Amino acid sequence: MRSRFPHFRRTTNRGDQIKWRGTLQPSPRSDLYEVEIAYEIPCRPHIQVMTPGLTTWGDLKRQPHTFRDGSLCVHQAHEWHGNKLIAETIIPWTCLWLAFYETWLETGCWLGEGTHPDLPEHSPFGEIVGAAA
Amino acid sequence: MATAEKAIWFQSSREQLDALLLEVCEGLQLSLSRHELAVERYGTVNEILEKAGSPFQLLRPRIFPQGSMALGTTCKPVEGPHDLDFVLQIDAPHWRWHPLAGLSALYEFLSSNETYRKMISLKNRVVRLTYADEFYMDILPAYTDLSSGGTCILVPDRARVSLCPSNPEGFILWFRNTCLTRTRRVMEKAKPVPAQEAVHEKEPLQLAVQLLKRWRDLAFAEECLAPISVVLTTLAGMHYAGEESVSEALTTILAGIVNAIALADLQGKRIVVRNPSNLLEDFGERWDANPQAYNAFKAGIRRLQKEWAVIVAGGRETDKELERLFGEYVRTALVKRAQRLQEARNAGALAVGSTGAITGLASGVARIRPNVFHGDE
């Protein structure tokens, strides 16, 4: 992890649980996000944006492709398992999620596709813009 | 990095902002089909004025575009029709006639034309043809100014009942030359009807003027207080220092205008916006009769400079500020960029750098592998 993403440091390492915290900036004009990634065997990595707090577009209650606790869901269950490196999967996917999140926040359009396309926060360009503008 | 108009990832905040502004300007400019329609109409009017029966036929009439179409700084109006400005220049001894004779003759001649009769109106300096499809064409009849020489002309002014000095052709030459960036300072000649330039071919100054005009259209609710386009264009040209980047050009221009205002304030005067190609013409003279408009301009441009500085500093939130200043095309540009990002992702062409910046495969530390965003229902 440190060799690829030097801004990340390990904050917890107690055998079955490991946590990293670091910053990601998906583009030069993006915010600098502090992200915590917690991995506890045998669960999937838990991705939380610590700062700045995630906000929503318009009146929507939550961001696209998140869990109810506000953590990010950047993959389907079968796309990740314990022998995949977090630096090669979870971190790049998180960067991508953040990039699409920023466009969504400004436009109301989630352009990164994904599951549950019928959810209001995933609505394609045009529909949601018209409804909430 | 990909080509300027197709950029997905960027090396710097400035580069990213410039790419966004370029796309905003793409939305702002007259579309190619509208440009062609304007050229066609210009051609038709030109033909009528030159053919037998025209009072101008023997006066060697020459009709040419001026204003934003000739300068490459067209900016779609927020609402209402698009204006196109043309000059009808004749070589004639103007001192023999009443100053408004040319304007009256043009108005009467076009009024007698079946097609134009219902579209015509007489303004202070021009004859206006209003087309049904959101266009109006202003034709300014002008005499060659033999005493000033060069491309100088004299134009009628109904309010003053006199001829006033002007030099739109010289202004176009000045602007096109001023436009050239530090690395490309070579002389260019103005073309009679410049071909519509693609936005990525435009110079930073042209883009900066488009943005300033858009800002003006959105920031000044009352039209009587809004600075006129030629004032913004001239001020931008006066203070542009050859920057290669549109965002840097705008920073320099705004600083220059704000400093000039401060200097004029100290002297208890307003800024003077001389036509660089005819120093007898002051584009800011309307402010003398309307000091409220000058005060509104001063306050507006100072505010814009502060807001612009925040935008240049970066951060996601500043895109909202950009949209407030320049309108809905910012949102469209962001959507297009995200669509290109998704296309590149589908093609497996993305990676991330060590800071988390999305980039191309060659410069990343980790390739972005295929994934599907998921989550609770």
Side-chain angles (χ1 to χ4, degrees):
Chain A
M1 178 75 99
R2 287 298 295 271
S3 66
R4 283 192 169 92
F5 300 103
H7 300 295
F8 268 77
R9 60 193 164 81
R10 197 166 52 217
T11 56
T12 304
N13 186 2
R14 41 162 229 253
D16 61 342
Q17 192 193 56
I18 189 162
K19 280 186 186 176
W20 291 274
R21 203 178 260 228
T23 55
L24 296 172
Q25 191 179 27
S27 79
R29 284 184 61 76
S30 296
D31 280 340
L32 188 66
Y33 296 91
E34 190 183 23
V35 176
E36 185 180 80
I37 296 166
Y39 174 48
E40 189 171 351
I41 297 169
C43 304
R44 61 194 282 161
H46 182 267
I47 311 156
Q48 193 83 43
V49 177
M50 310 307 288
T51 57
L54 296 180
T55 53
T56 59
W57 192 80
D59 296 331
L60 293 171
K61 300 280 182 272
R62 59 192 283 197
Q63 302 78 25
H65 305 295
T66 52
F67 293 110
R68 288 185 210 289
D69 67 354
S71 62
L72 315 190
C73 182
V74 298
H75 63 91
Q76 292 181 294
H78 68 272
E79 290 174 323
W80 194 86
H81 49 77
N83 60 3
K84 288 200 174 182
L85 290 178
I86 284 176
E88 288 184 354
T89 53
I90 300 297
I91 298 260
W93 292 339
T94 301
C95 296
L96 202 54
W97 188 95
L98 288 169
F100 286 117
Y101 160 74
E102 290 194 336
T103 308
W104 174 78
L105 210 50
E106 177 60 25
T107 66
C109 313
W110 180 265
L111 294 152
E113 299 178 2
T115 58
H116 314 313
D118 297 335
L119 288 177
E121 61 269 25
H122 300 174
S123 294
F125 186 44
E127 291 174 30
I128 200 165
V129 171
Chain B
M1 198 194 89
T3 55
E5 71 278 21
K6 297 286 181 197
I8 302 170
W9 54 83
F10 308 91
Q11 302 296 324
S12 67
S13 176
R14 181 192 55 71
E15 191 182 87
Q16 187 176 357
L17 179 58
D18 280 351
L20 180 60
L21 294 173
L22 204 72
E23 287 202 59
V24 171
C25 289
E26 212 163 55
L28 284 177
Q29 86 165 355
L30 196 63
S31 70
L32 196 59
S33 59
R34 303 281 284 171
H35 184 269
E36 283 168 1
L37 189 61
V39 171
E40 184 191 312
R41 284 174 175 167
Y42 146 81
T44 309
V45 174
N46 196 13
E47 230 170 76
I48 290 169
L49 291 168
E50 280 182 333
K51 75 178 182 186
S54 161
F56 303 99
Q57 186 201 3
L58 299 175
L59 300 172
R60 289 193 293 161
R62 199 166 67 86
I63 187 164
F64 58 89
Q66 63 160 335
S68 61
M69 202 169 153
L71 300 170
T73 59
T74 55
C75 179
K76 279 180 197 158
V78 176
E79 54 185 29
H82 207 295
D83 63 319
L84 301 166
D85 301 309
F86 294 90
V87 177
L88 166 67
Q89 186 178 347
I90 51 175
D91 284 337
H94 61 83
W95 56 88
R96 286 194 198 161
W97 297 326
H98 187 276
L100 305 182
L103 189 63
S104 304
L106 179 63
Y107 179 71
E108 281 163 25
F109 175 61
L110 290 177
S111 296
S112 69
N113 180 291
E114 194 59 42
T115 311
Y116 297 128
R117 185 174 300 151
K118 291 173 192 164
M119 302 159 54
I120 199 164
S121 56
L122 187 59
K123 301 290 174 187
N124 187 44
R125 290 188 170 191
V126 300
V127 169
R128 175 169 296 178
L129 298 174
T130 305
Y131 293 84
D133 51 1
E134 303 277 293
F135 259 132
Y136 60 76
M137 183 188 290
D138 283 345
I139 308 170
L140 173 73
Y143 298 99
T144 303
D145 185 353
L146 298 170
S147 58
S148 298
T151 50
C152 289
I153 57 172
L154 292 165
V155 301
D157 188 298
R158 287 170 71 205
R160 295 178 178 181
V161 198
S162 68
L163 291 171
C164 301
S166 189
N167 188 356
E169 237 179 333
F171 185 80
I172 294 163
L173 271 173
W174 167 78
F175 184 79
R176 291 262 172 189
N177 193 38
T178 305
C179 264
L180 299 175
T181 55
R182 288 186 192 113
T183 54
R184 297 179 52 218
R185 298 259 180 197
V186 288
M187 283 297 288
E188 261 195 356
K189 289 196 170 180
K191 301 169 185 110
V193 184
Q196 175 87 320
E197 294 150 312
V199 160
H200 66 270
E201 293 168 350
K202 283 185 190 284
E203 302 294 349
L205 176 56
Q206 289 172 303
L207 301 172
V209 169
Q210 282 183 298
L211 292 168
L212 282 171
K213 286 163 72 175
R214 182 59 166 190
W215 160 76
R216 180 268 319 270
D217 291 346
L218 293 172
F220 292 82
E222 291 179 69
E223 203 183 325
C224 63
L225 297 182
I228 56 176
S229 295
V230 72
V231 162
L232 292 176
T233 307
T234 309
L235 288 174
M238 282 165 63
H239 296 290
Y240 175 61
E243 290 82 1
E244 309 280 343
S245 140
V246 60
S247 59
E248 287 178 355
L250 207 48
T251 301
T252 305
I253 289 165
L254 290 173
I257 299 174
V258 167
N259 287 342
I261 288 171
L263 198 63
D265 276 356
L266 282 175
Q267 298 167 334
K269 297 174 182 171
R270 68 161 171 84
I271 52 170
V272 176
V273 191
R274 290 202 192 288
N275 179 344
S277 60
N278 189 337
L279 298 178
L280 297 172
E281 188 176 22
D282 175 11
F283 294 132
E285 66 183 9
R286 290 186 195 193
W287 283 328
D288 293 333
N290 190 358
Q292 205 192 341
Y294 183 59
N295 289 333
F297 171 67
K298 286 200 297 185
I301 208 87
R302 283 173 176 151
R303 199 168 47 244
L304 176 62
Q305 189 197 23
K306 286 184 188 150
E307 291 164 344
W308 181 249
V310 173
I311 287 169
V312 169
R316 174 185 49 76
E317 281 293 318
T318 58
D319 287 342
K320 285 199 193 323
E321 192 62 12
L322 262 179
E323 186 174 347
R324 198 179 60 72
L325 290 179
F326 302 123
E328 71 280 11
Y329 296 108
V330 173
R331 182 179 294 212
T332 310
L334 292 171
V335 166
K336 282 184 185 168
R337 184 192 160 226
Q339 286 170 333
R340 289 197 296 271
L341 188 68
Q342 177 64 13
E343 284 166 18
R345 175 191 178 197
N346 288 339
L350 298 179
V352 290
S354 61
T355 60
I358 294 171
T359 183
L361 293 177
S363 46
V365 296
R367 181 171 72 86
I368 301 182
R369 293 156 193 265
N371 71 316
V372 174
F373 293 127
H374 190 46
D376 289 335
E377 278 196 57

